[in-house]
Amino acid sequence: MTDSQKPDETGQAQQHDEPVETGSGDDAVKDPSAAELQQTNGTGEASSELGADTGTDVPEHGGDAPAGNSEPASDAAASGTVAPNETAAPKLAASPKPSPRPGPRPTPAAIAPKVRQGKAQSAVAAPPVHSTSVAEASKWARVDDEGHVFLMVDGNEQSVGQYPDASSDDALAYFARKYDDVAGQVGLLEQRVAVKAPTTDMIKTVEHLEAQVAERSMVGDVLALESRLGKLRTDIADLKETERAEHEAAKSAETAAREAIVVEAEQIAGADPATIQWKHSSARMNELFESWKSAQKNGMRLGRGTEDALWKRFRSARTLFDRHRRAYFSRLDSENAAAKEAKEELIKEAEALSDSTDWGRTAGEYRKLMDQWKASKRASRKDDDALWARFRAAQDKFFSARQAANEEIDQEFSANLVVKEELLVEARALLPVKDLSSAKKSLQSIHARWEQAGKVPRSDMARVEAGLREVDEAVRKADEEHWRKSDPETKARTNSAMNQLESTIAGLQDDLETARKAGDQKKIAAAEEALAARQQWLDQIQKSAKDLH
């Protein structure tokens, strides 16, 4: 190759004819079309997307080639930089029709699938760039004198293409790079499967790569690529099944979560309106609605039929709950209004009695009004508190007036209290009762003077009256005891019982004496037992008889 055919230092190559590929065994010239260039995208995406990723414009079929054919080196591909241009084939005076120059190889990072926004996926690192050396490529192919490249597969040669007017190394390197492109895409796909990336379009990518390998338009271990692609098919099928199972499990869990929301809403709506805690239940129903909206926005889609059915149930539960709530509070408003009206009537009666000076009768009327108030239903809390304040104010007015009147009366009765306190001391001096007749006469005189003394203050009335009742009770008991002891009938009954027991005891003593003479121990024991019992009875009656005298 002459100096004029070498690239300059800026990486711009001299204009030359591009290599052409041959069909299987013929010399027909074939351009590397744009469709073939698009196939370098391992994800099956459009060529425009690939060009956007790599910064390379894909030439139209049959168009002029660009000024230079830059091939990125391995390290440059990983970092996104461009390596210096490779040496181009020499320009000949006469050559076939120029074909489009292949653009720079897309890097594995460029052909990696786009990650959808908002969906977490496992990061797929770009695999190392596969690079086949000329020495390794020569193991799989040979180049004839005319630049035809033949691939050896299982001992058979297959025509790969032609790279005319260039060295064998250049020809092998060109077709080895095509192998490296496919191997890099296979490696990337293997990594995607290893990290369990989404299987979308993976099979399509495998089919596309299998078609490229089957064309035998590259130099390398194509059988190894075919084996790797076959294993990828199996692995992708397994991964698809795993994805399907995980999707179904996630869908079942999401369905169960939505169902739980609906069931709880139905339980709340189906509760007895009379027993529902409306504040708590309303807050919970709002929480369930927010949970539903969050699930709709962020959760998995369950299918229109399932979501519509669950939403209809949830909506029906919320509608029923709202209907019950409105009916309950409407009824409560009516009850509160009725209770307020009833208590207004009680307040009118209480206010009408507040100026009365008929203390006894009016106090009784107020007690009746209070009983009616307690039996009445409550109005709303605000109204009920205000109504009670008015009712209480009417009562307080009456009872305050009565208290003032009683205090004035008590002032007048203070002198009467002094007299009754002295009479109470005199009455208590009669205890204990020693002379019943004298005590009864003295107590009768005390009662007469007690009545003449008049009323005492209300606060002392219960105390002094209780003190006099204690003396009355003690004298009454003394009188009853005296009567019991002096009752003739009681004495007669006592004497009769004594005579009977004495006669019985005499008979038992004779029986005991007879039994002793006979030596009958059984009769002796029976007679002694009966005699002891009668003697004990006689002793008790004799003691009672002494108390009567």
Side-chain angles (χ1 to χ4, degrees):
M1 182 178 297
T2 65
D3 294 339
S4 62
Q5 293 174 326
K6 296 182 180 179
D8 58 21
E9 294 180 358
T10 62
Q12 298 293 331
Q14 301 293 328
Q15 183 70 28
H16 65 277
D17 293 330
E18 293 298 320
V20 296
E21 298 180 6
T22 63
S24 57
D26 56 52
D27 294 334
V29 177
K30 183 176 74 172
D31 295 338
S33 64
E36 290 175 326
L37 293 176
Q38 292 173 4
Q39 291 175 354
T40 60
N41 187 346
T43 62
E45 297 175 355
S47 60
S48 60
E49 184 176 344
L50 177 60
D53 288 340
T54 62
T56 304
D57 293 331
V58 180
E60 297 293 335
H61 179 66
D64 295 334
N69 180 17
S70 300
E71 290 291 340
S74 300
D75 294 339
S79 64
T81 60
V82 180
N85 295 336
E86 296 183 0
T87 302
K91 181 178 180 180
L92 301 180
S95 63
K97 181 180 179 181
S99 59
R101 185 190 306 273
R105 289 178 297 168
T107 65
I111 62 177
K114 304 298 181 293
V115 179
R116 295 179 182 177
Q117 294 296 328
K119 182 177 181 181
Q121 295 183 352
S122 301
V124 181
V129 177
H130 191 279
S131 179
T132 303
S133 65
V134 174
E136 186 180 357
S138 63
K139 297 178 182 178
W140 305 102
R142 69 177 182 84
V143 183
D144 64 10
D145 295 339
E146 298 179 355
H148 290 283
V149 180
F150 296 92
L151 178 67
M152 290 177 286
V153 181
D154 289 338
N156 299 320
E157 289 187 349
Q158 296 185 11
S159 178
V160 174
Q162 184 182 14
Y163 199 93
D165 302 322
S167 67
S168 298
D169 289 350
D170 289 343
L172 287 175
Y174 171 74
F175 289 102
R177 286 196 297 270
K178 299 184 70 174
Y179 174 85
D180 292 342
D181 288 341
V182 176
Q185 295 177 55
V186 172
L188 176 63
L189 191 57
E190 288 172 337
Q191 285 197 346
R192 290 178 62 197
V193 172
V195 299
K196 295 180 173 52
T199 59
T200 306
D201 293 336
M202 279 190 180
I203 289 296
K204 184 177 179 181
T205 302
V206 170
E207 292 174 350
H208 171 67
L209 294 174
E210 286 177 340
Q212 285 186 295
V213 175
E215 289 177 359
R216 300 294 191 260
S217 59
M218 60 190 71
V219 171
D221 191 356
V222 294
L223 295 181
L225 282 182
E226 290 177 342
S227 176
R228 290 167 66 186
L229 288 170
K231 184 176 183 303
L232 275 173
R233 275 188 174 273
T234 302
D235 294 343
I236 292 171
D238 294 341
L239 184 57
K240 274 184 173 290
E241 183 62 25
T242 301
E243 281 184 349
R244 187 196 64 78
E246 291 176 351
H247 177 79
E248 290 301 323
K251 186 176 180 181
S252 298
E254 182 69 19
T255 302
R258 300 275 189 93
E259 180 75 21
I261 293 175
V262 173
V263 169
E264 186 176 354
E266 289 174 338
Q267 290 176 346
I268 294 174
D272 184 1
T275 62
I276 290 180
Q277 298 292 330
W278 289 104
K279 183 177 180 180
H280 172 75
S281 297
S282 296
R284 183 56 185 159
M285 191 65 82
N286 289 335
E287 291 173 0
L288 292 176
F289 183 55
E290 292 300 323
S291 298
W292 179 275
K293 290 195 298 184
S294 177
Q296 282 284 97
K297 181 179 180 181
N298 304 318
M300 177 181 293
R301 295 294 175 261
L302 307 179
R304 183 167 183 176
T306 302
E307 289 193 352
D308 286 350
L310 289 173
W311 168 247
K312 287 179 181 178
R313 288 173 57 192
F314 185 57
R315 181 181 60 191
S316 298
R318 293 178 68 236
T319 301
L320 179 61
F321 177 81
D322 188 62
R323 185 184 306 124
H324 286 171
R325 184 179 62 83
R326 291 177 182 274
Y328 172 81
F329 283 104
S330 176
R331 184 173 64 254
L332 184 62
D333 288 343
S334 299
E335 292 176 353
N336 288 343
K340 181 178 180 181
E341 184 178 356
K343 290 187 174 181
E344 289 279 5
E345 293 297 325
L346 294 177
I347 291 171
K348 289 180 181 179
E349 295 183 31
E351 290 174 343
L353 294 172
S354 62
D355 294 327
S356 174
T357 56
D358 188 354
W359 311 120
R361 183 190 66 81
T362 306
E365 291 297 326
Y366 270 118
R367 283 192 292 270
K368 292 179 183 178
L369 290 176
M370 178 60 75
D371 292 340
Q372 294 177 39
W373 184 279
K374 292 179 179 178
S376 299
K377 292 184 177 180
R378 289 182 59 87
S380 66
R381 182 172 183 177
K382 181 179 179 181
D383 290 339
D384 211 63
D385 290 346
L387 292 169
W388 169 250
R390 291 172 56 194
F391 183 72
R392 185 69 179 174
Q395 291 188 93
D396 289 345
K397 182 179 179 181
F398 167 78
F399 286 108
S400 295
R402 190 185 69 166
Q403 179 67 23
N406 287 337
E407 289 177 356
E408 184 177 350
I409 294 173
D410 289 345
Q411 188 68 27
E412 298 175 359
F413 293 162
S414 297
N416 299 340
L417 177 61
V418 174
V419 175
K420 287 192 173 182
E421 291 279 8
E422 294 174 352
L423 291 174
L424 188 57
V425 172
E426 183 180 347
R428 286 173 175 168
L430 299 175
L431 303 179
V433 178
K434 297 178 180 179
D435 185 348
L436 180 59
S437 177
S438 176
K440 289 171 67 176
K441 289 180 180 179
S442 298
L443 186 58
Q444 185 177 5
S445 173
I446 291 172
H447 271 287
R449 285 177 289 162
W450 186 278
E451 293 299 328
Q452 291 175 358
K455 295 181 179 181
V456 298
R458 294 175 60 88
S459 59
D460 299 304
M461 184 181 298
R463 178 178 59 82
V464 295
E465 292 291 340
L468 185 60
R469 281 196 300 271
E470 290 178 1
V471 176
D472 288 340
E473 184 68 16
V475 173
R476 183 185 63 79
K477 289 182 177 180
D479 190 28
E480 290 177 353
E481 181 67 16
H482 175 73
W483 171 253
R484 185 183 65 79
K485 292 180 178 180
S486 61
D487 185 8
E489 293 182 1
T490 302
K491 292 181 177 181
R493 287 194 299 271
T494 301
N495 292 332
S496 176
M498 289 174 58
N499 292 335
Q500 290 179 4
L501 282 173
E502 289 174 350
S503 176
T504 301
I505 289 172
L508 288 172
Q509 289 175 345
D510 293 340
D511 294 340
L512 178 59
E513 187 65 26
T514 302
R516 286 174 176 172
K517 291 179 179 179
D520 190 343
Q521 297 299 324
K522 184 176 181 180
K523 288 184 178 181
I524 292 172
E528 288 178 346
E529 183 178 357
L531 183 60
R534 268 58 175 187
Q535 186 63 49
Q536 186 176 4
W537 295 350
L538 180 60
D539 293 341
Q540 292 178 353
I541 294 175
Q542 288 176 345
K543 184 178 179 181
S544 298
K546 289 181 179 180
D547 292 339
L548 295 176
H549 295 288

